[in-house]
């Protein structure tokens, strides 16, 4: 079923509906969902009649759950203004709580009755989003319990589920999870959330490419030398060691977020701007990723792990010393890989993807390195040849910069790199919405454009599985160690034919 594109959320309001949150007292709900819903509420973007029904194992009254909501809003929106605080009671009026043990099928009957009672009381048709803000091992159980009580059927209203990553642990488990969800839900009802696609700046990549006449003509192998996609984090795994041990950087960041960004960078222009056409193009990129053989994994993928480091007068913990991490863990906290997309546009152009924790700064950016001018006129006069780059900064200080050569004033022809930069914040007349605000609103409208489709998830797992299997089967493939505050292990250089292309973001301080 085709879904509409939510182009103007300011002008339209989604139809009346319910949002049922599984895991409503959990970390993600407190940190992301409730603050996003509150911001949508204060910006008058929620449906006119709307109910948020929090569920969980705890036996809470509505009032007790309201106290919890107040507490998390104050904690996770620290910059809340006085006048926004006065809007909290109105927001709480939308919120109810229902005891549900996700593993107890009978509790879903109580949930269904509660939804229908509220539906009558409030005069809201049972259009329902079920948000799975729960550990992944419960996804299948909750889906099965909803199906058991017919809560997937769209007889008297639509039904949608939002599923958080990780969507599977490997290709096989992703296929299996999909099969279980599809036992009741159809693909148009399943919204696999990837918060990177909710970032304004990632969406802006499509606008940059397809709304302008001058980027797209050079966006291919004839003009581009290589592309780097970087997501560096300054923080370590913090209190998520238990989860991270089962994931590692490749599953945590590359399989989903960074391959989705790569797909948006490399996709063909869709013929029309609707969710199916866009996702038809992004999935083709993922399906065209050149699979890595076991030998290529050893040479084209570098993995690393941060170690205890003395810095800034303190000792930064190594990964193996983090809470819930095994002292001899081989989990990678850093990964850099060289990948190719086997199609007409990108044949033999390397894409470098890299991500890691405990790096010198937090920066996510895409750098497009253009080929040098074909005939170097100034080479004889000056050794300094300019590099040409297009830098798409996703965060922080979102923006775009173009880096090119200019003549240094004065005699001779000395060339120097300069840049023209645009700061995304200059365009915003209001606060740039958080990814969760955008994605929740899109799901309320039934716009699935920025959610991962089943074929895309499978295609990216297929690619990533080859790497995971090679690591599992060949213990000789090294795990390199790096100090905190370094740009990953020095061995990353092996990925480049010319080691001067080594990783040193950010290129420009926007
Ligand atoms: C999450 C990962 O999906 O994305 C985290 O699980 C990571 O490990 C986070 O820190 C990064 O997101 P952002 O928006 O801070 O770049």
């Amino acid at each position: 079923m085709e879904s509409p594109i939510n182009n103007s959320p300011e002008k339209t309001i989604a139809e009346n509906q319910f949002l049922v949150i599984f895991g409503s007292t959990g970390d993600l709900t407190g940190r992301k969902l409730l603050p996003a819903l509150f911001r949508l509420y204060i910006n008058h973007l929620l449906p006119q009649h709307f109910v948020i029904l929090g569920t969980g194992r705890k036996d809470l009254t509505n009032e007790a759950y309201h106290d919890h909501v107040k507490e998390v809003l104050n904690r996770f929106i620290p910059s809340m203004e006085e006048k926004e605080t006065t809007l909290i009671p109105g927001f709480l009026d939308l919120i109810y709580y229902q005891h549900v043990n996700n593993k107890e099928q009978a509790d879903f009957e109580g949930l269904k009755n509660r939804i229908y009672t509220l539906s009558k009381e409030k005069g809201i048709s049972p259009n329902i989003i079920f948000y799975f803000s729960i550990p992944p091992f419960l996804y299948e159980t909750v889906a099965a319990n909803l199906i058991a009580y017919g809560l997937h059927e769209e007889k008297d209203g639509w039904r949608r589920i939002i599923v958080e990553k990780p969507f599977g642990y490997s290709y096989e488990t992703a296929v299996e999870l999909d099969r279980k969800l599809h036992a009741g839900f159809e693909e148009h009802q399943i919204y696999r959330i990837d918060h990177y696609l909710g970032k304004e700046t990632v969406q802006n990549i499509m606008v940059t490419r397809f709304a302008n006449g001058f980027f797209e003509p050079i966006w291919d192998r004839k003009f581009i030398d290589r592309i780097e996609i970087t997501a560096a984090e300054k923080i370590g795994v913090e209190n998520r060691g238990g989860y991270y041990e089962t994931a590692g950087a490749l599953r945590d960041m590359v399989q989903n977020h960074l391959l989705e960004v790569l797909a948006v960078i490399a996709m063909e222009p869709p013929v029309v701007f609707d969710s199916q056409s866009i996702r038809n193009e992004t999935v083709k990129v993922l399906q065209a990723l050149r699979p890595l053989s076991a030998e290529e994994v050893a040479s084209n993928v570098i993995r690393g792990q941060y170690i205890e480091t003395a810095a800034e007068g303190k000792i930064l913990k190594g990964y193996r010393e983090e809470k819930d991490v095994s002292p001899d863990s081989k989990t990678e906290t850093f990964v850099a890989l060289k990948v190719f997309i086997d199609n007409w546009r990108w044949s033999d152009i390397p894409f470098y993807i890299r991500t890691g924790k405990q790096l010198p700064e937090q920066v996510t950016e895409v750098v497009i390195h253009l080929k040098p001018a074909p005939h170097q006129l100034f080479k004889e006069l000056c050794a300094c040849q300019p590099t040409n780059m297009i830098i798409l900064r996703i965060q922080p200080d979102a923006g775009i910069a173009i880096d090119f050569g200019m003549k240094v004033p004065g005699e001779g022809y000395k060339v120097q790199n300069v840049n023209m930069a645009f700061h995304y914040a200059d365009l915003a007349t209001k606060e740039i919405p958080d990814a969760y605000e955008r994605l929740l609103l899109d799901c309320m409208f039934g716009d699935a454009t920025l959610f991962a489709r089943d074929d895309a998830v499978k295609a990216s797992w297929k690619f990533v599985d080859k790497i995971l299997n090679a690591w599992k089967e060949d213990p000789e493939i090294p795990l390199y160690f790096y100090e905190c505050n370094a740009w990953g292990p020095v061995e990353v250089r092996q990925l480049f034919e010319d080691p001067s292309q080594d990783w040193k973001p950010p290129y420009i301080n926007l």
Side-chain angles (χ1 to χ4, degrees):
M1 190 192 284
E2 193 46 65
S3 52
I5 291 253
N6 169 23
N7 274 333
S8 52
E10 291 88 353
K11 295 196 189 78
T12 35
I13 290 291
E15 59 190 314
N16 298 335
Q17 56 190 276
F18 287 79
L19 173 66
V20 176
I21 304 178
F22 295 106
S24 69
T25 54
D27 185 62
L28 175 77
T29 306
R31 201 180 283 276
K32 293 288 181 189
L33 304 188
L34 289 168
L37 288 162
F38 182 61
R39 280 196 211 96
L40 291 174
Y41 172 74
I42 59 183
N43 289 318
H44 308 286
L45 292 170
L46 290 180
Q48 197 185 359
H49 297 291
F50 184 57
V51 165
I52 300 170
L53 183 56
T55 78
R57 246 181 334 175
K58 291 186 189 141
D59 237 334
L60 300 179
T61 58
N62 283 346
E63 292 66 37
Y65 187 57
H66 285 181
D67 289 342
H68 169 78
V69 175
K70 267 189 271 180
E71 192 267 315
V72 292
L73 291 182
N74 286 319
R75 182 143 50 106
F76 293 115
I77 316 184
S79 57
M80 198 182 311
E81 291 169 17
E82 182 78 39
K83 69 172 188 297
E84 293 171 342
T85 317
T86 61
L87 299 174
I88 292 181
F91 178 61
L92 295 178
D93 285 346
L94 309 178
I95 303 180
Y96 298 81
Y97 184 83
Q98 171 76 18
H99 164 87
V100 176
N101 178 344
N102 292 320
K103 292 186 184 158
E104 285 295 333
Q105 198 167 84
D107 284 4
F108 285 69
E109 188 174 15
L111 173 65
K112 183 173 179 176
N113 293 339
R114 185 76 185 276
I115 293 172
Y116 277 91
T117 309
L118 283 165
S119 161
K120 275 205 203 95
E121 264 173 43
K122 308 271 163 198
I124 308 178
S125 341
N127 297 314
I128 315 168
I129 298 176
F130 296 103
Y131 201 117
F132 288 24
S133 180
I134 45 179
F137 71 87
L138 285 170
Y139 292 170
E140 296 177 5
T141 313
V142 170
N145 290 340
L146 289 172
I147 294 166
Y149 286 96
L151 283 165
H152 62 299
E153 288 166 1
E154 300 193 291
K155 288 186 194 140
D156 49 3
W158 48 254
R159 306 285 150 82
R160 298 175 188 146
I161 55 175
I162 301 185
V163 188
E164 274 287 335
K165 72 160 251 265
F167 198 79
Y169 178 77
S170 60
Y171 176 73
E172 211 179 42
T173 52
V175 170
E176 183 54 15
L177 172 58
D178 224 42
R179 202 179 60 75
K180 297 261 174 61
L181 298 184
H182 280 128
F185 293 95
E186 289 180 37
E187 181 58 23
H188 76 267
Q189 297 176 277
I190 305 172
Y191 288 69
R192 298 174 195 81
I193 201 162
D194 183 318
H195 80 280
Y196 259 62
L197 291 181
K199 289 183 193 279
E200 280 284 328
T201 37
V202 173
Q203 295 152 35
N204 196 38
I205 295 171
M206 282 193 276
V207 177
T208 306
R209 288 187 57 193
F210 305 135
N212 299 298
F214 56 92
F215 288 111
E216 208 41 34
I218 56 164
W219 211 264
D220 64 20
R221 64 192 303 281
K222 291 202 278 309
F223 295 94
I224 291 176
D225 181 67
R226 63 188 194 280
I227 293 184
E228 296 169 15
I229 301 173
T230 296
E233 292 187 86
K234 197 165 164 53
I235 53 170
V237 292
E238 300 190 303
N239 55 358
R240 298 166 71 223
Y243 152 74
Y244 205 82
E245 279 285 88
T246 65
L250 190 67
R251 284 192 184 91
D252 186 48
M253 290 293 289
V254 178
Q255 182 275 326
N256 33 66
H257 307 325
L258 299 183
L259 287 182
E260 288 284 358
V261 171
L262 171 126
V264 175
I265 293 286
M267 70 194 273
E268 294 301 314
V271 177
V272 285
F273 201 67
D274 69 26
S275 99
Q276 282 304 44
S277 310
I278 294 169
R279 300 196 301 171
N280 285 347
E281 296 307 333
T282 49
V283 74
K284 283 184 208 160
V285 174
L286 299 171
Q287 287 166 342
L289 286 171
R290 188 185 298 170
L292 294 170
S293 65
E295 297 72 51
E296 283 165 339
V297 170
S299 59
N300 290 12
V301 185
I302 303 291
R303 56 177 168 165
Q305 191 186 77
Y306 60 83
I307 50 170
E308 186 180 275
T309 310
E312 297 151 13
K314 49 186 181 193
I315 301 287
L316 298 172
K317 262 191 207 165
Y319 176 68
R320 289 178 178 181
E321 285 82 55
E322 300 277 14
K323 186 166 164 282
D324 301 327
V325 170
S326 152
D328 56 1
S329 170
K330 286 198 83 184
T331 303
E332 79 289 355
T333 58
F334 173 96
V335 67
L337 56 160
K338 175 159 67 171
V339 306
F340 293 93
I341 299 169
D342 283 337
N343 65 15
W344 276 61
R345 187 187 281 261
W346 297 115
S347 183
D348 292 331
I349 300 301
F351 284 71
Y352 295 96
I353 302 178
R354 27 205 173 178
T355 182
K357 296 204 183 275
Q358 283 291 15
L359 302 185
E361 49 190 293
Q362 193 227 359
V363 57
T364 305
E365 67 183 11
V366 178
V367 182
I368 293 146
H369 294 266
L370 297 171
K371 290 190 165 144
H375 177 50
Q376 300 284 339
L377 264 188
F378 303 103
K379 203 154 120 200
E380 302 303 315
L381 304 165
C382 172
C384 38
Q385 290 309 316
T387 53
N388 291 167
M389 294 184 277
I390 303 169
I391 297 152
L392 308 172
R393 171 70 61 75
I394 293 171
Q395 61 190 22
D397 306 324
I400 296 189
I402 299 177
D403 192 59
F404 54 101
M406 279 281 114
K407 179 182 176 304
V408 178
E411 73 281 12
Y413 282 89
K414 194 166 182 298
V415 179
Q416 184 185 316
N417 263 70
V418 296
N419 68 70
M420 290 196 307
F422 160 73
H423 298 255
Y424 203 54
D426 292 347
L427 203 62
T429 49
K430 55 182 189 190
E431 214 180 307
I432 299 176
D434 176 75
Y436 276 89
E437 286 173 59
R438 169 70 196 234
L439 294 172
L440 277 165
L441 200 58
D442 279 5
C443 183
M444 289 178 199
F445 276 95
D447 177 356
T449 312
L450 301 174
F451 293 82
R453 206 168 61 185
D454 56 350
D455 48 0
V457 172
K458 285 177 197 158
S460 65
W461 270 123
K462 213 174 220 170
F463 174 77
V464 163
D465 247 18
K466 297 257 183 228
I467 304 174
L468 292 169
N469 289 339
W471 283 349
K472 195 159 95 196
E473 274 152 33
D474 184 358
E476 297 297 303
I477 299 179
L479 169 75
Y480 298 107
F481 296 98
Y482 62 96
E483 296 211 326
C484 301
N485 285 342
W487 288 109
V490 286
E491 287 79 4
V492 170
R493 248 180 250 150
Q494 295 168 16
L495 292 180
F496 302 97
E497 273 164 39
D498 172 359
S500 72
Q501 294 176 349
D502 193 5
W503 187 21
K504 284 178 210 68
Y507 283 94
I508 284 172
N509 285 321
L510 273 163

